[in-house]
Amino acid sequence: MEGYINRKCTVIKNGVCYSGPVELVSKEVGLAESTIRGMCCGWYPKSGMFAFYNDSNNCWEGAFSCWNPSMAYVLGYFVADGCLRNKPYLSKGVCKPRWYFRLGSIDRDIIEFVVRFLQAKQSILTSEVHCPVNKFYTFELCNPKIASDLLNLGIVERKTYEDFDLDIPQAFESDFWRGFLDGDGSYIVQNKKGGKYVYLYVDAIFPSFNVRFRKRYEDFLFRNGIEFISYDSLHKNGKVTMNFIRVLRKSSVADLLNLLDIDVKFMCSRKRNMISKVYGGRVFCRS
């Protein structure tokens, strides 16, 4: 009970930020402590007001509040292979929203990176149901502040079937798209000659509904002088048409890898190894 009473929060009211213990903040904004706690948990929305705990028990709540290289990478990967789900629950006869942040991957190193970034205490779960060939790792947390920040950035709940867009600062575009390609991208090696792979091309995959988001990636490539082609293909489930943006020319692939800073920034180890099959010890670094 002592820890519950002494929890710290932040309330934004009419553009003014109030931070401190719940008891103090409640007096400053003129609301009951129970109302402040309910707002922090997402139960009692107030017009023109927003509230969240500063000392979340399960993660770093400010993870998506401001842009930085790690946040951009995690956000890019989340857009590709994550989901934001609203699962209402019943409490005392009242149905209340509860938002879940979820990631899944066959690459445990990515999930571990996201868990460290979020400073989360939840365990990584392992399953072989979703992917019989490899172990499949999942991570999920419930936090209203994380969900609110993602929604404010432009994330939608059904992002496979709805168009959406994100305003990505140019300074963090490379980190974001490196994360996205680690999720919904493919680094494909071919033309094995003399026991060595000699060719690589890069695909980025978008559901056909994501028109604005796909154009943002195309603009990123165009502004950086990277040539690409696009084509459509039906998803293996036979229900959704997927749009492929392929970087095919050797010079353009090298320029893209350099732009993504793959030798100095975090990247999925499995995909980094695929690149090494073609380029060996070549350095791809913007700086």
Side-chain angles (χ1 to χ4, degrees):
M1 188 66 177
E2 179 71 13
Y4 177 70
I5 293 175
N6 292 330
R7 293 200 69 177
K8 296 181 179 180
C9 71
T10 294
V11 174
I12 302 174
K13 179 180 180 182
N14 298 327
V16 180
C17 183
Y18 304 88
S19 295
V22 173
E23 180 182 7
L24 176 61
V25 172
S26 67
K27 293 177 181 179
E28 292 178 335
V29 299
L31 293 174
E33 291 181 41
S34 59
T35 302
I36 295 295
R37 294 194 183 98
M39 290 172 59
C40 289
C41 294
W43 299 339
Y44 309 132
K46 294 285 185 180
S47 178
M49 296 181 64
F50 183 72
F52 56 89
Y53 283 123
N54 297 334
D55 56 345
S56 170
N57 291 324
N58 65 353
C59 69
W60 172 33
E61 292 194 320
F64 296 102
S65 296
C66 60
W67 286 89
N68 59 67
S70 294
M71 178 274 207
Y73 174 86
V74 172
L75 182 63
Y77 186 81
F78 175 78
V79 170
D81 268 353
C83 64
L84 190 64
R85 288 290 181 263
N86 181 9
K87 302 177 183 178
Y89 72 104
L90 196 65
S91 176
K92 297 180 180 180
V94 179
C95 189
K96 302 174 181 178
R98 178 172 283 180
W99 287 92
Y100 287 86
F101 170 100
R102 189 176 188 274
L103 280 178
S105 178
I106 62 173
D107 300 294
R108 187 182 178 95
D109 58 334
I110 294 182
I111 303 300
E112 289 177 342
F113 182 87
V114 175
V115 171
R116 290 195 302 271
F117 168 72
L118 291 173
Q119 302 174 26
K121 299 178 182 178
Q122 287 84 348
S123 300
I124 297 173
L125 302 180
T126 305
S127 170
E128 296 182 358
V129 175
H130 297 285
C131 186
V133 178
N134 298 291
K135 290 183 177 179
F136 191 79
Y137 304 98
T138 59
F139 165 75
E140 183 178 79
L141 63 82
C142 174
N143 188 284
K145 177 62 166 60
I146 292 286
S148 177
D149 284 343
L150 289 171
L151 291 169
N152 288 335
L153 285 168
I155 301 296
V156 295
E157 185 178 1
R158 289 170 54 84
K159 56 185 175 61
T160 301
Y161 301 97
E162 294 182 23
D163 195 14
F164 68 96
D165 193 18
L166 302 175
D167 186 11
I168 309 165
Q170 193 166 336
F172 304 111
E173 283 183 312
S174 294
D175 300 296
F176 178 89
W177 292 116
R178 189 177 65 258
F180 180 84
L181 289 171
D182 270 354
D184 273 346
S186 297
Y187 296 84
I188 303 165
V189 292
Q190 60 177 218
N191 293 356
K192 195 169 184 179
K193 183 178 180 181
K196 181 181 178 181
Y197 290 98
V198 295
Y199 193 74
L200 172 79
Y201 60 89
V202 183
D203 277 347
I205 308 166
F206 302 84
S208 59
F209 297 97
N210 299 163
V211 177
R212 289 182 296 161
F213 183 59
R214 183 179 73 244
K215 287 183 177 179
R216 188 168 287 274
Y217 179 66
E218 293 175 342
D219 180 62
F220 168 72
L221 297 177
F222 180 78
R223 280 187 286 105
N224 287 282
I226 299 172
E227 296 185 21
F228 60 90
I229 61 173
S230 63
Y231 66 94
D232 294 336
S233 178
L234 195 64
H235 190 272
K236 58 185 178 182
N237 65 15
K239 297 179 181 180
V240 181
T241 300
M242 308 301 290
N243 186 269
F244 289 73
I245 306 297
R246 175 168 292 181
V247 179
L248 194 61
R249 292 187 59 181
K250 278 190 175 182
S251 58
S252 293
V253 170
D255 288 343
L256 176 60
L257 298 178
N258 200 66
L259 186 62
L260 296 177
D261 237 0
I262 66 171
D263 283 330
V264 295
K265 299 291 184 64
F266 180 82
M267 182 184 188
C268 170
S269 59
R270 177 174 57 87
K271 294 187 176 180
R272 192 189 295 272
N273 291 337
M274 294 179 70
I275 295 170
S276 295
K277 287 183 179 180
V278 176
Y279 293 102
R282 178 172 173 177
V283 175
F284 292 101
C285 173
R286 280 187 295 172
S287 55

